[in-house]
Amino acid sequence: MTTQLFSLAIGVGTQNQQGQWLEIFYPQPLLNPPAALAEAIAGPLGHAGGNHSYKLDACQLASLAEAVQAAGYKAEAELLQRLSHSAKPLVATLLENDAAPTSTPEAYLKLHLLSHRLVKPHGLNLSGIFPLLPNVAWTSEGAIDLGELPDRQLEARINGRLLEVFSVDKFPKMTDYVVPSGVRLADSARIRLGAYVGEGTTVMHEGFINFNAGTAGPGMIEGRVSAGVFVGKGSDLGGGCSTMGTLSGGGNIVISVGEGCLIGANAGIGIPLGDRNIVESGLYITAGTKVALLDEQNQLVKVLKARELAGQPDLLFRRNSQSGAVECKSNKTAIELNEALHAHN
């Protein structure tokens, strides 16, 4: 029977003293791998379907490399041969479908698929991922179980070393696992594994990209892009897609940002933006924010909630400096925009 898999990866990871996985590095995760390659790996593992992870030893991995070589996949076989020399624990993760992850190796595979640009944010089922990601110390000697950290720190000092703890978190930084092509990352610690960083993206020192979020690129990120947000393509010149504020998503909410948008310093959004939108510095727009729609003479046409303007192009959101009211103007006439929104609803 032909083996069809949603995703497949062989990785090297870290376990604590109880044999629990702390993290996994997958050098070459595959999405919808060829059936022949999937069969060459699934067969020797005795994979009978479903989503499973298999801890491997060096001999098993060498056998997998032979099977993959015999199936005609030379580059993949060479990678498996290299992994077979690992002194760290090895794991094979096979996903038959995009179901919610049930183990740490499955969770890490899905984060890798995002950061390798194989799937865009909100393109994977990540339900229940947080309990599967242990909170660990990310150190100069790799991931360490928090319960084992004091002994490791003491051991390092006794042997004349300094064990530096960079962070204590569920998510590692992306660049310890993959560095996407064509990007500039001023502070790589501010981009988590599971972020999607598109070609041509620049993330400045105060920029932050969470997991299951990112930018299609090219564009400039100077603020926070939280989970559930995906920033569309833009240009750094002539009103490119520049975010200096906060883009908030989360849960099942997807906050998309169209092409050529500008979100000013200390601004933020809780609604999707269409192409060429501008949000004034310091202005935070939530779905329920009351917005005054203005015409070309700055006369009020209608007051509506911001969610009714979600996804509309060519909008300027600003705050009236005298009244404090949130206002919106458009390159279209406000009357035309109002009529279009009414027809859409």
Side-chain angles (χ1 to χ4, degrees), residues 172-194:
K173 63 180 180 180
M174 181 188 70
T175 52
D176 283 348
Y177 296 80
V178 56
V179 179
S181 61
V183 301
R184 292 172 54 207
L185 309 175
D187 185 352
S188 61
R190 298 182 65 83
I191 297 94
R192 279 175 153 180
L193 181 64

Side-chain angles (χ1 to χ4, degrees), residues 8-12 24-29 41 45 56 61 64 79-80 83 90-94 109:
L8 162 67
I10 310 292
V12 53
I24 300 93
F25 168 63
Y26 296 109
Q28 189 177 305
I41 292 177
L45 292 175
L56 306 171
L61 202 55
L64 286 177
L79 174 61
L80 295 179
L83 288 173
L90 300 162
V91 63
T93 302
L94 285 67
L109 174 51

Side-chain angles (χ1 to χ4, degrees), residues 43-292:
L45 292 175
H47 180 71
N51 296 348
H52 295 285
S53 296
Y54 303 89
K55 187 177 178 181
L56 306 171
D57 57 33
C59 291
Q60 288 174 309
L61 202 55
S63 297
L64 286 177
E66 291 179 6
V68 169
Q69 178 79 39
Y73 294 92
K74 182 179 179 181
E76 289 79 3
E78 291 176 351
L79 174 61
L80 295 179
Q81 286 285 5
R82 291 185 66 187
L83 288 173
S84 69
H85 299 293
S86 172
K88 300 277 284 183
L90 300 162
V91 63
T93 302
L94 285 67
L95 303 183
E96 185 179 60
N97 53 60
D98 183 28
T102 60
S103 67
T104 300
E106 289 180 32
Y108 264 83
L109 174 51
K110 291 200 168 186
L111 295 178
H112 276 73
L113 291 174
L114 286 160
S115 289
H116 277 267
R117 298 177 183 159
L118 296 174
V119 183
K120 291 182 179 179
H122 271 264
L124 291 171
N125 185 347
L126 300 178
S127 300
I129 193 172
F130 285 98
L132 302 174
L133 300 173
N135 195 30
V136 303
W138 302 100
T139 78
S140 53
E141 296 184 6
I144 299 178
D145 185 286
L146 292 177
E148 300 167 10
L149 181 61
D151 284 343
R152 292 284 297 272
Q153 289 176 313
L154 177 58
E155 179 187 357
R157 292 283 183 163
I158 291 173
N159 289 283
R161 306 191 316 275
L162 172 63
L163 178 63
E164 184 174 1
V165 179
F166 301 117
S167 68
V168 177
D169 195 5
K170 287 179 172 290
F171 293 84
K173 63 180 180 180
M174 181 188 70
T175 52
D176 283 348
Y177 296 80
V178 56
V179 179
S181 61
V183 301
R184 292 172 54 207
L185 309 175
D187 185 352
S188 61
R190 298 182 65 83
I191 297 94
R192 279 175 153 180
L193 181 64
Y196 183 110
V197 187
E199 187 91 18
T201 297
T202 295
V203 184
M204 298 301 289
H205 292 81
E206 295 304 315
F208 171 84
I209 304 180
N210 208 340
F211 85 104
N212 204 27
T215 169
M220 175 84 68
I221 304 296
E222 296 185 74
R224 178 183 175 86
V225 183
S226 66
V229 174
F230 191 60
V231 182
K233 293 183 179 180
S235 170
D236 290 341
L237 300 176
C241 195
S242 175
T243 65
M244 294 175 281
T246 300
L247 286 72
S248 299
N252 294 320
I253 301 172
V254 181
I255 304 296
S256 60
V257 178
E259 298 183 12
C261 291
L262 172 62
I263 299 174
N266 299 315
I269 60 170
I271 62 170
L273 296 183
D275 296 341
R276 300 172 300 279
N277 276 209
I278 298 174
V279 180
E280 181 184 69
S281 295
L283 177 60
Y284 200 109
I285 303 170
T286 67
T289 299
K290 296 291 184 66
V291 179

